[in-house]
Amino acid sequence: MDILYDIKYHLHLGYYEDNFDYEATAFKRQLKDVWDIFFDFKGYGIKNITSKNELTLDPFGTRIFSIDNKEIDYNFGVQQFKQWLSSNKII
C-alpha cells in the first residue's frame, strides 16, 4: 500500500549549529497520525545510510524516521532530527 501525504501539512526541520546547515522535511500522512521525516543525502553529499528499500520522495530525499503524533511541534521535531544526526555521526 502506498503512503499518501497531505502536502499542505509539512514542516522544515533545521540544524544550524556548530557551522552545520542541515534540513529535513516532515510530511503528515493522510490516513494516520504519523509524520515521516525525509533527508536529502545526495543534496548534502552524504552517503545514504538507510535501507535501499526505504521510501524516497523526490526532491525531499529518503525517510529517516517517523514521529507518531497527530501534530508535530517544531522544537520537538528539531530535537529528534538533531538526535538522528548525532547518532548517525553526521554531526
Side-chain angles (χ1 to χ4, degrees):
M1 180 176 131
D2 290 335
I3 297 174
L4 300 176
Y5 296 99
D6 188 336
I7 60 170
K8 294 182 293 183
Y9 297 102
H10 72 278
L11 182 65
H12 296 272
L13 305 172
Y15 179 77
Y16 312 111
E17 298 174 22
D18 304 319
N19 294 320
F20 291 110
D21 187 353
Y22 293 120
E23 191 170 286
T25 306
F27 288 97
K28 169 76 172 67
R29 292 188 194 179
Q30 283 187 0
L31 303 176
K32 254 182 147 175
D33 290 337
V34 174
W35 290 78
D36 290 332
I37 308 342
F38 292 84
F39 183 73
D40 184 8
F41 290 94
K42 185 177 179 182
Y44 289 107
I46 298 172
K47 183 179 185 266
N48 189 335
I49 56 174
T50 64
S51 161
K52 68 177 183 174
N53 297 323
E54 187 58 71
L55 179 63
T56 298
L57 290 179
D58 287 327
F60 304 103
T62 304
R63 181 173 52 193
I64 54 174
F65 64 90
S66 300
I67 297 173
D68 294 334
N69 207 344
K70 183 175 183 174
E71 300 294 327
I72 188 172
D73 174 77
Y74 175 78
N75 292 324
F76 178 76
V78 166
Q79 185 61 35
Q80 295 296 302
F81 181 46
K82 180 180 177 181
Q83 182 178 356
W84 179 85
L85 289 167
S86 179
S87 67
N88 287 284
K89 298 179 179 23
I90 296 172
I91 57 169

